[in-house]
Amino acid sequence: FLCHNILDALVDEYMPLIDHMESEVEWLEDSVMEKPSPETLQRLLALKHSIMSLRRIVAPQREVMNRLSRDEFDQIDTQSLIYFRDIYDHLVRIQDLADIIRDIVSGALDIYLNSTSLRLNEIMKALTIVSTIFLPLSFITGAFGMNFLHIPGASLKLGFYLVCIGLVALGVLMLLYFKKRGWF
């Protein structure tokens, strides 16, 4: 009778917890794929911590039930051995499910970290392209902004406009070059 109550308590206590963790893992996986956020990372880490806590609780209970179900003790009758084996089987199943959930959470964490790293790389690439385009333009405008006795191109009536057209052409050419190389 006591073993039957233990089995019922075990199933009633741990299985809803495992089911809740499975549904949360599925939601978090979808969230990581769609748009990862710091809140998703916090929930993943909290879920991983909960799973590890569950494993720390279940593992010793499993070992105890394993010893009790092997007919090592004379005080345990044959009918109770069946219940202990059943409890042991449930604990093994719970631990296996916890391991599966832990693996899925670890995979989701890897996906989260890779996607944020990829997004950061894209941002860095865009900033690098903008910097590369504006570096020569800044140099040229800086050179023409210096106080010369005879400003280059000042003898031409359209010198200022030619320099502006040249700067725009240089920027467009660099953009076309980067696009041809597949950088964006």
Side-chain angles (χ1 to χ4, degrees):
F1 179 72
L2 177 64
C3 294
H4 187 66
N5 288 341
I6 292 172
L7 181 61
D8 287 342
L10 178 71
V11 171
D12 290 343
E13 184 177 337
Y14 290 128
M15 290 314 288
L17 181 62
I18 293 287
D19 290 339
H20 174 70
M21 286 180 177
E22 283 179 337
S23 63
E24 179 141 2
V25 162
E26 289 174 14
W27 183 85
L28 285 171
E29 274 186 319
D30 293 340
S31 177
V32 164
M33 291 297 200
E34 289 173 12
K35 186 173 182 192
S37 65
E39 293 82 24
T40 306
L41 178 63
Q42 288 175 348
R43 288 182 72 176
L44 279 169
L45 292 174
L47 185 60
K48 188 172 183 178
H49 179 72
S50 298
I51 290 169
M52 295 307 291
S53 297
L54 178 66
R55 289 188 79 240
R56 278 192 295 273
I57 292 169
V58 170
Q61 291 177 2
R62 190 187 80 172
E63 294 305 316
V64 168
M65 289 302 141
N66 186 25
R67 292 221 35 223
L68 291 174
S69 67
R70 281 195 265 146
D71 200 19
E72 294 179 8
F73 303 102
D74 296 334
Q75 296 86 356
I76 300 174
D77 62 343
T78 310
Q79 183 67 23
S80 296
L81 286 176
I82 295 169
Y83 286 113
F84 283 128
R85 284 187 194 118
D86 199 24
I87 293 170
Y88 175 75
D89 290 341
H90 278 80
L91 287 170
V92 167
R93 191 170 123 227
I94 289 169
Q95 189 163 16
D96 289 345
L97 288 172
D99 287 341
I100 290 169
I101 293 171
R102 185 192 61 185
D103 291 342
I104 292 170
V105 168
S106 294
L109 279 169
D110 290 342
I111 291 170
Y112 175 85
L113 295 174
N114 287 336
S115 65
T116 54
S117 176
L118 181 64
R119 194 170 34 160
L120 179 64
N121 286 341
E122 290 297 320
I123 291 169
M124 292 303 293
K125 186 166 58 169
L127 291 174
T128 302
I129 289 171
V130 168
S131 298
T132 304
I133 290 172
F134 280 104
L135 182 69
L137 300 178
S138 298
F139 174 75
I140 293 170
T141 56
F144 277 96
M146 301 301 257
N147 293 327
F148 290 110
L149 291 176
H150 301 288
I151 296 176
S155 60
L156 297 172
K157 199 169 201 176
L158 301 174
F160 172 75
Y161 297 109
L162 288 175
V163 170
C164 288
I165 290 171
L167 290 174
V168 170
L170 180 63
V172 169
L173 286 174
M174 290 179 78
L175 278 173
L176 292 174
Y177 175 75
F178 291 143
K179 187 153 182 94
K180 182 181 176 184
R181 300 258 332 210
W183 289 3
F184 68 95

